[in-house]
Amino acid sequence: MAVFPRTVASSLLLLFLLFGFSAAKELLVGGKIDAWKIPSSEADSLNQWAERSRFRVGDHLVWKYESGKDSVLEVTKEDYANCSSSKPIKEYSDGNTKVRLDHPGAYYFISGAKGHCEKGQKVIVIVMSQRHSYTGISPAPSPAELEEGPAVAPTSSATALQAVIVFVLGMLAMYVGFLM
């Protein structure tokens, strides 16, 4: 009878490993509280941080800054390139901005403070599609790769494939448990 609890434990561990790493996260932009500022060098650029980070659908970006002195603008690719703040997609100015990444592809953010974007206070965030978040293998594309277009949204077959994998691995874990 000791085999059954071991099998259940193995199956639960397997499910945790498959799903535990895909939970949505809150990510502090730049990795620290005072990161939303004009960078002092290229190495201090928020795009350097974004290229090293993984963003998935459902994650939240969090900005901390002084309300009234700065803001965060979500803009189009063109407005990002031109540092144009005249028609943002969304504007945030509360000092504790939280943005949900609700679709795969590129998000473009610039500072709303006059002249800050031109001095480098901006960031491109690339969000991986759901199917990539299950494997953890595919890296997020770099901003240079965006010229080819945004990531493709997942299809329902990705969810079906995940269910099949979970079933097969669960059965394998039970089989191995019975052999022990």
Side-chain angles (χ1 to χ4, degrees):
M1 283 303 201
V3 174
F4 182 71
R6 192 178 323 159
T7 302
V8 171
S10 297
S11 297
L12 289 175
L13 177 63
L14 183 63
L15 287 173
F16 172 76
L17 290 174
L18 285 172
F19 294 108
F21 297 113
S22 65
K25 297 177 283 191
E26 286 191 8
L27 301 153
L28 189 59
V29 172
K32 54 188 178 180
I33 290 178
D34 63 345
W36 190 240
K37 63 182 180 183
I38 297 170
S40 57
S41 68
E42 182 63 30
D44 197 25
S45 163
L46 290 175
N47 282 330
Q48 295 287 326
W49 165 79
E51 287 176 4
R52 292 187 309 267
S53 302
R54 299 278 182 167
F55 306 99
R56 293 186 171 94
V57 172
D59 286 349
H60 290 85
L61 294 178
V62 178
W63 282 263
K64 304 279 186 180
Y65 54 93
E66 193 171 340
S67 179
K69 292 195 175 188
D70 206 342
S71 61
V72 176
L73 307 179
E74 182 177 349
V75 296
T76 64
K77 181 178 180 179
E78 295 77 22
D79 287 346
Y80 176 89
N82 298 318
C83 286
S84 174
S85 60
S86 62
K87 45 185 172 130
I89 297 169
K90 293 181 185 165
E91 183 173 357
Y92 308 92
S93 59
D94 61 359
N96 187 25
T97 297
K98 185 175 175 181
V99 175
R100 183 175 189 277
L101 304 172
D102 58 4
H103 61 82
Y107 288 76
Y108 301 90
F109 299 98
I110 64 172
S111 170
K114 187 170 178 69
H116 285 210
C117 178
E118 291 83 357
K119 294 177 182 173
Q121 189 177 347
K122 57 186 183 174
V123 64
I124 301 172
V125 173
I126 309 301
V127 179
M128 294 186 296
S129 66
Q130 288 289 0
R131 71 172 165 223
H132 292 143
S133 67
Y134 298 135
T135 64
I137 298 172
S138 300
S142 70
E145 293 174 305
L146 288 178
E147 300 303 321
E148 299 172 12
V152 177
T155 63
S156 59
S157 64
T159 304
L161 178 60
Q162 180 187 15
V164 169
I165 290 171
V166 168
F167 176 75
V168 169
L169 291 176
M171 295 302 291
L172 181 60
M174 286 188 346
Y175 177 73
V176 170
F178 284 120
L179 292 178
M180 295 181 140

